[in-house]
Amino acid sequence: MIILGIETSCDETSVALVADGRRILKNIVLSQVKYHAPYGGVVPELASRKHLEKILYLIDDALSTCPPDRIDGIAVTVGPGLMGSLLVGLMFAKTLSWVWKKPLLGANHLEAHVYAVFLEHPYLSPPFVCLLASGGHTELFLFKEHGSFELLGSTRDDAAGEAFDKVARVLGLPYPGGPAIDELSNKGDPYAFEFPYPLEEGLDFSFSGIKTAVKLFWEEKKGKVKIEDVAASFQRKVVEVLLDKLTKAASLKGVNKLVLSGGVVANSFLRRKLEELKEKGFEVFYPSPPLCTDNAAMVAAYGYHELLRGRIAPLTITVKPDLEIGEDFLSS
Ligand code: KG4
Ligand code: ZN
């Protein structure tokens, strides 16, 4: 079965073709980062306009790999995300579904990130504890089985990626800040400075305190300490927090299988620490860097499981900008 996936929830326009929920035939991802960089963050109005300009070309490109009559369903992210951006993807998906008479399949973007891991580890089986760490989200949840999720914790303020982006701005680094901090940190000492661990109790996260601590520290010490050491120490603290909560959640739920996804999982220090967790006996799964960030292949893989469970979305379905993990987008 071949599913065409469409993802436009934030600032990546992406179209993909995935066979049987596990084999990527095509995954085209067009980043808008250069348009948003001058503003230091994603500008919603600009994002939807750019999706609208590009999506048709991406669909055309995908169809050069596989004609419509071989496609078994159209999967699209219905939420969460930016209202205008989601609408562009959903309108195209609905139109293709209606014109081609193919089932329309919805996808929860947060849950779909896990399917990037299934694509590269087809024999991964639930239950497992997941950490999604991206620019917009930091969510910890239990994946019980396909279609059954339990939210365990999320951020009370900034997302992990957002903290990277804001600290990068404080340090005078370019947007997006994650890759810039990652690269700079390679030349720094991650244990040079100790930044605080806010909200250490429980499974919720808080990153704005770490960001403020770095800001105050940098205002006082700029020129007296190495910027590489500040970046590396900040990065180490964020990674420590993420992995502490993830392993706590795993022990609370009695599982030792850990799955990670989202843009922050491209971080090289985090990936090194994940390899150490494997040595401690955890089973750890995470995507290769290109599949960590937003892409339509994960949406198509998610859609495949929706189709298997007979969950066809009606053409009246609307976008759900605030959709949560475990929330049923078909019934609301
Ligand atoms: O998943 P993603 O592409 O988009 C969403 O937010 O949905 O994640 C983008 C976020 C940005 O905040 C970016 O700074 C961060 O992921 N990021 C990284 C790295 N690469 C991207 N953070 C830390 N280290 C990286 N290497
Ligand atoms: Zn995402």
Side-chain angles (χ1 to χ4, degrees):
M1 256 197 298
I2 297 179
I3 306 293
L4 177 86
I6 297 178
E7 159 62 42
T8 61
S9 66
C10 190
D11 62 338
E12 265 95 19
T13 318
S14 182
V15 175
L17 288 161
V18 171
D20 301 326
R22 58 179 59 178
R23 196 158 49 87
I24 299 177
L25 307 178
K26 194 134 200 170
N27 186 29
I28 320 159
V29 183
L30 211 62
S31 167
Q32 300 179 353
V33 73
K34 66 174 180 223
Y35 303 110
H36 300 288
Y39 304 97
V42 177
V43 182
E45 176 59 26
L46 185 57
S48 46
R49 240 181 302 141
K50 289 292 163 194
H51 287 309
L52 201 52
E53 273 174 26
K54 308 288 182 191
I55 191 162
L56 205 50
Y57 297 102
L58 269 59
I59 292 172
D60 258 353
D61 190 355
L63 293 181
S64 67
T65 300
C66 177
D69 57 321
R70 286 187 50 216
I71 293 172
D72 299 287
I74 321 291
V76 61
T77 299
V78 296
L82 302 170
M83 164 88 82
S85 294
L86 289 165
L87 275 170
V88 175
L90 185 57
M91 285 307 130
F92 272 86
K94 281 184 181 181
T95 307
L96 296 177
S97 161
W98 187 76
V99 171
W100 295 341
K101 306 281 177 277
K102 305 283 179 181
L104 179 69
L105 308 158
N108 176 323
H109 179 87
L110 307 177
E111 297 166 4
H113 266 290
V114 178
Y115 287 79
V117 186
F118 281 117
L119 283 165
E120 293 181 320
H121 303 275
Y123 300 106
L124 168 67
S125 63
F128 45 76
V129 170
C130 299
L131 173 69
L132 168 61
S134 69
H137 300 276
T138 310
E139 320 264 349
L140 201 50
F141 55 103
L142 181 67
F143 189 118
K144 297 181 195 167
E145 55 184 304
H146 294 286
S148 179
F149 305 86
E150 180 189 341
L151 183 64
L152 303 173
S154 58
T155 183
R156 301 248 183 112
D157 40 59
D158 293 346
E162 192 179 354
F164 270 95
D165 296 337
K166 288 181 175 172
V167 165
R169 199 181 313 169
V170 165
L171 299 179
L173 302 172
Y175 173 86
I181 288 185
D182 193 348
E183 201 187 326
L184 196 66
S185 298
N186 285 329
K187 292 175 241 140
D189 173 6
Y191 298 93
F193 309 112
E194 196 60 47
F195 294 116
Y197 181 169
L199 213 66
E200 202 169 336
E201 288 297 303
L203 295 179
D204 277 345
F205 300 87
S206 166
F207 290 107
S208 78
I210 309 180
K211 169 202 69 190
T212 306
V214 176
K215 184 171 180 284
L216 296 175
F217 181 84
W218 188 238
E219 279 168 5
E220 192 193 327
K221 298 278 170 64
K222 190 176 176 182
K224 299 178 203 141
V225 296
K226 280 172 64 187
I227 188 171
E228 292 86 350
D229 289 346
V230 180
S233 299
F234 160 75
Q235 175 177 272
R236 190 255 307 166
K237 182 53 71 178
V238 172
V239 168
E240 245 172 45
V241 170
L242 291 173
L243 297 189
D244 181 51
K245 302 269 180 187
L246 177 61
T247 49
K248 253 189 208 158
S251 78
L252 214 71
K253 289 291 160 186
V255 294
N256 88 325
K257 222 180 269 185
L258 313 176
V259 169
L260 297 95
S261 196
V264 177
V265 182
N267 185 268
S268 59
F269 185 76
L270 172 60
R271 297 170 87 87
R272 282 202 296 280
K273 290 289 164 194
L274 291 177
E275 290 308 304
E276 288 175 24
L277 278 184
K278 285 184 190 170
E279 286 158 21
K280 288 184 186 155
F282 286 101
E283 283 187 76
V284 189
F285 302 88
Y286 50 97
S288 58
L291 285 185
C292 283
T293 49
D294 290 351
N295 65 85
M298 67 188 198
V299 173
Y302 186 105
Y304 169 77
H305 287 273
E306 287 287 289
L307 188 55
L308 285 189
R309 290 185 292 124
R311 286 172 43 88
I312 315 293
L315 284 178
T316 51
I317 192 170
T318 55
V319 296
K320 314 242 175 322
D322 299 319
L323 188 67
E324 291 176 6
I325 283 171
E327 189 180 338
D328 187 4
F329 49 82
L330 289 188
S331 68
S332 49

